[in-house]
């Protein structure tokens, strides 16, 4: 990929989850609010031409369910997600390590994961050219179903810190 065509990275926090008694954290499902929120993000992505060609998703139930709702709104354009145990309970550095291993044939990536990694990673990657209001909003509060859209011109392997321009931070409620 040439430097003329930026890559897109979208970082999403899973939709609102439930806290059922006796259920392990990894297997917590979405709450009804989460089932309502997640499709809205998918519709926004489709409407604004932010359709990923690759999805990296935590293996936790709530992230898988979020991903299913997003993909249902993207329709036939939705790629088959790759589930990653490494994204569950990961730090921002660990999530970035997973991204760094992706092939450069991917031009648009959606990562669906958990707090605090999603917020920490978005803040770590935000360059000085970023949309200031979007960065301030995501720095102060990264709610469930929050989505950061970033663009960068590096290979995935080179992505590290302050390398990506935040173009949008979306919150759907």
């Amino acid at each position: 990929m040439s430097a003329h065509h930026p890559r897109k990275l979208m970082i999403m926090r899973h939709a609102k989850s439930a806290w059922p008694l006796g259920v392990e954290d990894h297997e917590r499902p979405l709450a009804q609010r989460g089932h309502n929120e997640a499709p809205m993000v998918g519709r926004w992505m489709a409407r604004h031409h932010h359709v990923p060609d690759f999805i990296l998703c935590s293996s936790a139930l709530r992230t898988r369910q979020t991903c299913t709702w997003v993909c249902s709104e993207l329709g036939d354009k939705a790629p088959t997600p790759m589930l990653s145990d490494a994204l569950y309970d990961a730090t921002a550095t660990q999530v970035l390590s997973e991204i760094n291993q992706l092939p450069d044939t991917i031009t648009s990536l959606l990562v669906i994961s958990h707090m605090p990694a999603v917020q920490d990673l978005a803040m770590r990657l935000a360059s000085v050219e970023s949309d200031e209001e979007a960065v301030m909003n995501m720095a102060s509060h990264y709610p469930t179903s929050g989505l950061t859209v970033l663009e960068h011109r590096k290979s995935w392997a080179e992505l590290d810190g302050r390398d990506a321009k935040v173009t949008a931070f979306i919150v759907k409620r």
Side-chain angles (χ1 to χ4, degrees):
M1 166 154 294
S2 74
H4 301 298
H5 296 91
R7 296 179 198 280
K8 190 177 298 178
L9 171 60
M10 294 167 282
I11 303 171
M12 182 179 182
R13 181 180 178 192
H14 62 78
K16 182 67 176 171
S17 59
W19 291 88
L21 289 175
V23 174
E24 294 286 327
D25 183 70
H26 190 270
E27 297 307 313
R28 286 194 300 118
L30 291 181
Q32 186 57 53
R33 188 175 105 197
H35 287 291
N36 297 336
E37 286 175 0
M40 287 190 256
V41 177
R43 282 193 292 277
W44 182 90
M45 290 170 69
R47 205 171 35 251
H48 291 88
H49 309 288
H50 291 303
V51 179
D53 50 52
F54 194 83
I55 299 174
L56 187 58
C57 180
S58 163
S59 61
L61 179 58
R62 58 195 177 273
T63 50
R64 295 190 326 254
Q65 290 178 321
T66 300
C67 187
T68 298
W69 280 115
V70 168
C71 287
S72 71
E73 294 299 325
L74 298 177
D76 294 342
K77 295 179 180 178
T80 301
M82 184 175 110
L83 298 180
S84 171
D85 291 332
L87 293 188
Y88 175 72
D89 203 25
T91 65
T93 299
Q94 292 165 324
V95 175
L96 183 57
S97 177
E98 292 294 304
I99 293 169
N100 290 153
Q101 297 175 49
L102 296 174
D104 285 332
T105 52
I106 297 168
T107 60
S108 181
L109 170 64
L110 171 62
V111 175
I112 304 174
S113 195
H114 310 268
M115 280 294 279
V118 290
Q119 183 180 37
D120 292 348
L121 180 58
M123 293 303 297
R124 174 178 174 170
L125 294 175
S127 71
V128 295
E129 294 86 22
S130 295
D131 177 300
E132 188 176 344
E133 182 178 352
V135 172
M136 294 299 289
N137 287 339
M138 72 182 193
S140 63
H141 184 60
Y142 208 113
T144 53
S145 295
L147 175 73
T148 302
V149 180
L150 306 102
E151 290 183 354
H152 65 95
R153 295 186 182 276
K154 294 188 170 196
S155 72
W156 296 112
E158 296 173 312
L159 197 59
D160 184 21
R162 304 287 176 246
D163 294 333
K165 177 181 176 183
V166 175
T167 60
F169 178 63
I170 306 305
V171 176
K172 294 292 177 185
R173 287 278 160 92

